C-alpha cells in the first residue's frame, strides 16, 4: 500500500518528501537560522565598507543541513542561499543586466552548496577510514580543521570575488579582490569551526544534562568580557583561567558550547570596540576577533578532547582492572574448590574434611559436647569395578554420595576419606544418635537398587560408629575407633552398623 503510493510520486516529490515531521521542522529551523545568521552577520558585523563578515555562521548551518539530510539538505542550503544572496545582488540591477545577476546568484548558491558537500564528504571519508565518529580523540581536531573548515572554503570561495569582478558585479582592483577572498575564507572557515562540531556534539550520550551543565559553567566566560567594558585588560587576565576551569569541568562539550557562546560576545566587543578591541580600528578589530575566536576555540577543543581521551583511557583501564580482578577471584575460587572438593563426588576431600573435623574437635574439647564419627565403606566395591569397569565404579560412587546426602543434616560434615571409604562427623550427636543415623544410611543404600549404565545393582555399605570419649584428645584416636568398628562390621558379614564401645584404642 505504502510502496504503491510512494511509487506513484514523481522523483522530485520523492526527493523532497521529508521522512518525518520532526525532520521537516528541524530542516525549516536550520534554514531560518541560515538566513537569519547571514542577514544579522552582514547587518551587524561587516568589515567596512563591504558586506562581508568575519564569522559567516551560514556556512556552519549549511554543513549541518547536509550532514543531517544529505542531498535534501543540499537542496535546502540552495534555497536558503538564494534567499540570502538575491536581495544583495538585486541592488546591482541598475548597473548590470538581470542575466549577470542571475549568474552571480547561481554562483553564490553553488559555492555554498559545494562547500557543505565537500566538507561532509571529506570528513565521511576520514570517519570511514578510521571506522569511528569524529571527535573521539584530540588528534581528530586537525583533520576537522583542515577537512571541514579550511579546505572546503579554500576550494570554493575564491570564485566569488573573482567571477563577480569579471562579470561586472562588485568590480574591484586586485588587492581588494584578494582581501575579499581572504575575508570570505576566514568567515566561512570560522562559521564552520563554530557550528559544525554541533553535529557530533548532539550525538554524545546524555546530551540534555551535559548542555545544561555546560550552559551554567560556560556563562562564566561572559564575566571578563562584560567587565572589560570597565577594565579593558580583564579578558586577557581572566578569560584563560575561566576557560581552563570550564573545560576541566565539562570537557569537550564545554569547548563546543563555549566557542559558540564566545562568538557573539567577542563579535559585539569587536563591533563596538570594547575592552580588548578599544585601541584598534574596526577592520583590525574584526581580524583580531577572528584570531581570538580561533585560538580560544582550537585550544579549548584540544584540551577538552584530551581530557575526554584521558577519561576514556581511565574508564577502559578501570574496566580492565575490574575484569582482571573478577577473573582472578573466579580462578581463586576454582583453585580453592579444587583444593577442598573431591573432583568425582563433589564432597569434601580428605584434607579439607580433616581441617573441618579438627576445628570441630577442638571446639568440643574446650566446650564439651557430644561428637560422633561414622566411617562408611561400600561393600565389595572391587568386584563392581572388575565386572562393569572403572567408569561404572565411578558412577556408583557418585550415586552413593547422593543417597548419603539425602539422609544427612546441614550440620553433618561429610567427606571422601579415600577410595570407596567415606567419613561423617556429627557435631552434638551422641552414640545413640549416630547409630540411628548410621542405620538410616545403611537402609537408604541397601533398600533401593542403584542403576548404573542402565544396569540395576544391589549395593550395600558397612558403617563403623564411635563417639568422642571425655578425655580423648586426638581426632585420630576417635577415627581409629570408628575404623575398628567398621572392620568389625565387615568381619560380621558386611551391610551392617557396628560401634566401638568396649575396645580401647590402645
Ligand atoms: N571406580 C573407582 N574405583 C575406585 C576408586 N577409588 C578406589 N577404587 C577401587 O575400590 C576398590 C576397593 O576394593 P577393596 O579395598 O578390596 O574393597 P571392596 O572390594 O569394597 O571389599 P570390602 O571393602 O572388603 O567390602 C579397589 O578396586 C579400588 O581400585 C575410584 O575413585 N573409582
Amino acid at each position: 500500500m505504502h510502496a504503491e503510493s510512494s511509487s506513484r510520486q514523481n522523483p522530485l516529490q520523492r526527493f523532497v518528501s521529508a521522512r518525518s515531521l520532526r525532520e521537516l521542522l528541524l530542516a525549516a529551523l536550520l534554514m531560518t537560522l541560515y538566513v537569519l545568521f547571514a542577514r544579522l552577520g552582514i547587518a551587524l558585523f561587516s568589515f567596512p565598507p563591504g558586506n562581508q563578515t568575519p564569522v559567516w555562521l551560514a556556512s556552519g548551518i549549511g554543513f549541518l543541513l547536509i550532514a543531517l539530510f544529505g542531498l535534501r539538505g543540499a537542496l535546502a542550503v540552495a534555497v536558503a542561499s538564494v534567499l540570502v544572496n538575491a536581495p544583495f545582488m538585486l541592488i546591482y540591477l541598475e548597473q548590470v543586466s538581470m542575466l549577470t545577476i542571475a549568474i552571480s546568484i547561481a554562483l553564490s548558491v553553488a559555492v555554498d552548496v559545494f562547500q557543505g558537500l565537500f566538507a561532509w564528504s571529506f570528513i565521511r571519508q576520514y570517519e570511514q577510514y578510521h571506522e569511528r565518529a569524529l571527535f573521539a580523540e584530540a588528534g581528530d581536531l586537525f583533520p576537522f580543521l583542515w577537512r571541514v573548515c579550511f579546505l572546503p572554503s579554500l576550494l570554493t570561495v575564491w570564485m566569488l570575488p573573482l567571477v563577480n569582478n569579471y562579470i561586472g558585479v562588485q568590480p574591484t582592483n586586485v588587492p581588494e579582490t584578494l582581501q575579499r577572498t581572504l575575508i570570505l575564507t576566514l568567515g566561512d572557515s570560522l562559521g564552520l569551526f563554530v557550528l559544525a562540531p554541533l553535529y557530533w556534539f548532539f550525538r554524545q550520550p546524555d546530551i540534555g544534562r551535559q548542555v545544561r551543565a555546560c550552559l551554567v559553567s560556560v556563562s562564566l566566560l561572559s564575566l571578563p568580557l562584560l567587565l572589560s567594558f570597565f577594565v579593558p585588560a580583564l579578558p586577557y587576565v581572566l578569560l584563560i583561567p575561566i576557560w581552563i576551569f570550564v573545560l576541566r569541568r565539562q570537557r569537550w562539550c564545554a569547548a563546543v558550547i563555549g566557542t559558540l557562546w564566545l562568538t557573539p560576545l567577542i563579535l559585539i566587543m569587536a563591533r563596538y570596540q570594547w575592552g580588548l578591541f578599544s585601541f584598534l580600528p574596526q577592520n583590525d578589530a574584526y581580524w583580531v576577533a577572528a584570531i581570538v575566536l580561533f585560538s580560544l576555540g582550537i585550544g579549548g577543543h584540544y584540551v577538552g578532547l584530551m581530557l575526554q581521551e584521558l577519561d576514556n583511557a581511565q574508564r577502559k583501564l578501570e574496566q580492565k582492572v575490574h575484569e582482571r580482578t573478577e577473573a582472578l577471584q573466579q580462578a581463586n575460587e576454582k583453585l580453592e574448590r579444587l583444593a577442598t572438593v573431591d573432583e568425582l563426588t563433589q564432597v569434601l576431600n580428605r584434607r579439607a574434611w580433616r581441617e573441618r573435623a579438627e576445628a570441630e574437635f577442638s571446639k568440643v574439647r574446650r566446650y564439651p559436647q557430644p561428637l560422633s564419627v561414622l566411617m562408611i565403606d561400600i561393600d565389595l566395591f572391587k568386584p563392581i569395578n572388575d565386572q562393569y569397569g572403572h567408569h561404572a565404579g565411578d558412577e556408583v560412587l557418585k550415586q552413593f554420595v547422593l543417597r548419603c546426602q539425602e539422609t544427612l543434616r546441614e550440620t553433618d560434615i561429610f567427606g571422601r576419606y579415600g577410595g570407596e571409604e567415606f567419613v561423617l562427623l556429627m557435631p552434638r550427636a551422641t552414640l545413640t544418635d549416630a547409630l540411628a543415623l548410621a542405620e538410616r544410611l545403611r537402609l537408604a543404600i541397601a533398600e533401593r537398587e542403584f542403576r548404573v549404565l542402565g544396569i540395576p545393582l544391589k549395593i550395600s555399605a558397612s558403617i563403623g560408629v564411635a563417639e568422642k570419649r571425655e578425655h580423648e584428645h586426638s581426632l585420630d584416636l576417635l577415627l581409629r575407633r570408628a575404623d575398628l568398628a567398621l572392620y568389625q562390621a565387615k568381619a560380621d558379614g558386611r551391610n551392617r552398623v557396628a560401634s566401638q564401645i568396649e575396645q580401647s584404642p590402645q
Side-chain angles (χ1 to χ4, degrees):
M1 199 63 186
H2 179 75
E4 234 175 68
S5 69
S6 68
S7 68
R8 255 186 259 121
Q9 291 178 328
N10 67 39
L12 187 69
Q13 278 172 325
R14 249 179 300 165
F15 183 69
V16 291
S17 70
R19 246 174 261 154
S20 71
L21 187 65
R22 230 178 59 186
E23 283 189 354
L24 197 70
L25 285 176
L26 182 60
L29 175 74
L30 287 175
M31 280 172 77
T32 313
L33 287 177
Y34 187 103
V35 178
L36 202 74
F37 284 159
R39 298 218 138 255
L40 273 179
I42 286 171
L44 296 176
F45 310 109
S46 269
F47 273 98
N51 54 6
Q52 285 157 341
T53 137
V55 187
W56 184 249
L57 289 172
S59 61
I61 299 279
F63 174 84
L64 292 176
L65 274 165
I66 291 172
L68 288 169
F69 306 113
L71 284 178
R72 284 179 306 171
L75 191 72
V77 172
V79 173
S81 179
V82 170
L83 292 175
V84 169
N85 286 295
F88 290 119
M89 295 302 174
L90 288 172
I91 297 168
Y92 300 97
L93 200 54
E94 282 174 12
Q95 297 154 36
V96 289
S97 71
M98 189 63 199
L99 180 68
T100 311
I101 286 176
I103 292 173
S104 176
I105 294 174
L107 182 71
S108 301
V109 171
V111 162
D112 290 341
V113 169
F114 277 109
Q115 193 177 70
L117 284 174
F118 282 154
W120 179 234
S121 76
F122 288 159
I123 212 66
R124 276 285 296 275
Q125 278 171 14
Y126 179 84
E127 290 192 325
Q128 271 163 10
Y129 179 78
H130 289 275
E131 292 176 348
R132 61 170 170 76
L134 196 73
F135 290 121
E137 296 171 7
D140 286 350
L141 183 59
F142 300 103
F144 166 73
L145 284 171
W146 177 238
R147 288 167 182 249
V148 175
C149 306
F150 294 118
L151 190 59
S153 310
L154 282 174
L155 285 175
T156 50
V157 292
W158 58 269
M159 271 184 267
L160 284 174
L162 209 69
V163 175
N164 280 347
N165 201 5
Y166 183 71
I167 62 177
V169 181
Q170 300 170 325
T172 48
N173 56 31
V174 173
E176 269 182 10
T177 308
L178 271 177
Q179 198 198 17
R180 237 170 228 214
T181 309
L182 211 62
I183 295 175
L184 280 172
T185 312
L186 174 86
D188 283 15
S189 311
L190 202 45
L192 282 158
F193 176 67
V194 171
L195 287 177
L198 288 177
Y199 176 73
W200 289 275
F201 175 78
F202 282 107
R203 277 170 163 61
Q204 299 252 317
D206 197 11
I207 198 64
R209 194 192 56 78
Q210 293 210 45
V211 171
R212 277 195 301 278
C214 274
L215 282 177
V216 173
S217 50
V218 155
S219 52
L220 280 179
L221 292 168
S222 324
L223 257 175
L225 295 178
L226 295 177
L227 290 177
S228 73
F229 188 67
F230 308 102
V231 188
L234 262 185
Y236 290 117
V237 183
L238 286 181
L239 205 55
I240 298 293
I242 294 181
W243 193 212
I244 290 173
F245 165 78
V246 166
L247 290 166
R248 162 88 182 72
R249 285 193 54 167
Q250 308 297 338
R251 307 324 205 215
W252 177 69
C253 291
V256 179
I257 302 270
T259 312
L260 204 64
W261 188 277
L262 285 174
T263 303
L265 290 177
I266 288 183
L267 279 180
I268 289 170
M269 286 179 71
R271 163 79 166 80
Y272 296 102
Q273 289 161 295
W274 280 357
L276 278 179
F277 308 99
S278 49
F279 307 108
L280 296 171
Q282 183 73 89
N283 222 329
D284 293 357
Y286 279 143
W287 281 108
V288 172
I291 291 166
V292 168
L293 270 178
F294 258 132
S295 30
L296 278 177
I298 291 173
H301 271 265
Y302 197 72
V303 172
L305 285 172
M306 231 161 52
L307 291 173
Q308 188 172 283
E309 212 179 310
L310 280 176
D311 288 347
N312 290 341
Q314 186 168 340
R315 213 170 299 131
K316 270 187 203 151
L317 205 70
E318 276 168 11
Q319 173 73 16
K320 213 169 235 174
V321 169
H322 179 74
E323 280 169 15
R324 293 269 159 89
T325 314
E326 223 161 56
L328 208 67
Q329 243 165 15
Q330 277 171 7
N332 277 343
E333 273 165 25
K334 199 172 168 193
L335 271 177
E336 169 100 7
R337 245 186 107 66
L338 282 176
T340 56
V341 170
D342 172 58
E343 215 183 328
L344 179 68
T345 57
Q346 297 297 307
V347 293
L348 293 176
N349 62 21
R350 184 185 184 123
R351 194 180 60 80
W353 183 88
R354 273 202 72 103
E355 260 176 35
R356 301 267 308 267
E358 290 280 9
E360 279 302 324
F361 198 87
S362 318
K363 254 195 258 172
V364 171
R365 270 176 62 192
R366 201 176 298 170
Y367 309 105
Q369 268 194 332
L371 179 75
S372 297
V373 72
L374 269 63
M375 291 288 263
I376 311 157
D377 190 280
I378 303 176
D379 295 331
L380 301 171
F381 187 63
K382 190 172 178 308
I384 298 170
N385 266 338
D386 293 345
Q387 198 175 341
Y388 304 105
H390 212 260
H391 184 60
D394 283 355
E395 199 48 46
V396 169
L397 285 171
K398 284 199 237 172
Q399 290 187 24
F400 176 84
V401 164
L402 289 177
R403 288 263 175 110
C404 291
Q405 280 170 333
E406 281 166 16
T407 315
L408 301 182
R409 289 173 305 190
E410 286 253 311
T411 46
D412 296 336
I413 301 167
F414 185 59
R416 187 175 178 193
Y417 213 59
E420 70 332 349
E421 194 174 10
F422 294 84
V423 66
L424 176 69
L425 191 81
M426 299 173 66
R428 288 180 293 282
T430 61
L431 185 68
T432 318
D433 301 329
L435 282 169
L437 182 90
E439 185 57 18
R440 280 211 303 281
L441 270 176
R442 187 189 70 77
L443 288 174
I445 291 154
E447 278 193 338
R448 260 187 300 139
E449 277 180 341
F450 282 52
R451 185 162 280 272
V452 175
L453 310 176
I455 308 157
L457 288 179
K458 276 203 86 57
I459 304 285
S460 68
S462 302
I463 305 175
V465 186
E467 184 190 356
K468 179 187 172 303
R469 287 177 178 160
E470 203 181 330
H471 299 294
E472 202 163 40
H473 290 305
S474 149
L475 174 69
D476 282 327
L477 289 178
L478 176 64
L479 282 172
R480 186 153 168 240
R481 287 193 297 112
D483 202 32
L484 284 172
L486 173 64
Y487 182 79
Q488 189 64 50
K490 291 267 182 192
D492 288 349
R494 300 187 175 86
N495 190 19
R496 65 195 63 230
V497 174
S499 62
Q500 228 278 326
I501 322 168
E502 285 82 22
Q503 293 100 320
S504 155
Q506 275 80 25

